[in-house]
Amino acid sequence: MIVAKPKINTLLSIGIFICLCLSISGYMLLELLSTDRVIWYQYALTVVPGPLALGLLFKTTLSYKRVEMGKNCINNRFPVRFKVNSFQLKDVEQWTEQRVKTAGSTFKELVVRFSNGKKLTLSLQEHTNYV
């Protein structure tokens, strides 16, 4: 059985960015509340990074998935949502692999479309055990 899930490096870099944005936003909020004289950029550094980080945190958490392939079956597990999508190989309508050459390497992405309209996307740079 092949198991593809997001790479630790990808999740770590997103986590560091989220922590940095929340720290900046929180610090600026404390500055806004503790001083009488407020500068315009303190408002911007409070309002912009905070919601951006929270949105990215929710999107990353809710879209975390493990794809398990084996025995003529593809299981798409979302552990945070407690949801499993199971597909048979006969349900695959179309699959394409897109390759884009970049300066350092080649970006590869596999898109699988199923008969019920669902779509599964895996990429070489973001997932382990890329098929």
Side-chain angles (χ1 to χ4, degrees):
M1 179 172 288
I2 300 171
V3 177
K5 58 186 178 181
K7 289 183 179 179
I8 297 297
N9 295 341
T10 303
L11 295 175
L12 184 65
S13 62
I14 290 173
I16 290 172
F17 179 75
I18 289 171
C19 288
L20 185 65
C21 285
L22 287 176
S23 298
I24 290 171
S25 183
Y27 178 73
M28 282 299 134
L29 182 62
L30 287 175
E31 286 293 316
L32 282 174
L33 297 175
S34 65
T35 61
D36 295 333
R37 186 171 167 227
V38 178
I39 305 171
W40 67 270
Y41 68 84
Q42 290 177 331
Y43 287 118
L45 287 176
T46 302
V47 173
V48 174
L52 176 75
L54 289 176
L56 185 60
L57 176 67
F58 289 131
K59 183 188 180 310
T60 304
T61 304
L62 292 176
S63 67
Y64 180 85
K65 66 182 172 193
R66 289 177 46 126
V67 179
E68 299 172 354
M69 298 176 201
K71 295 185 180 179
N72 293 326
C73 186
I74 299 174
N75 293 325
N76 196 2
R77 295 184 186 275
F78 295 93
V80 175
R81 291 190 263 172
F82 303 107
K83 183 178 179 184
V84 178
N85 294 333
S86 295
F87 305 102
Q88 298 296 322
L89 286 182
K90 64 182 179 182
D91 295 335
V92 174
E93 281 188 349
Q94 175 188 14
W95 65 273
T96 56
E97 183 179 47
Q98 301 170 351
R99 295 178 185 216
V100 177
K101 288 191 177 184
T102 60
S105 64
T106 302
F107 179 80
K108 295 180 185 178
E109 182 178 64
L110 178 68
V111 179
V112 181
R113 295 188 190 274
F114 298 101
S115 59
N116 63 356
K118 300 270 185 184
K119 179 175 77 167
L120 172 66
T121 305
L122 296 173
S123 65
L124 175 64
Q125 284 77 9
E126 296 176 0
H127 295 88
T128 60
N129 295 332
Y130 178 78
V131 185

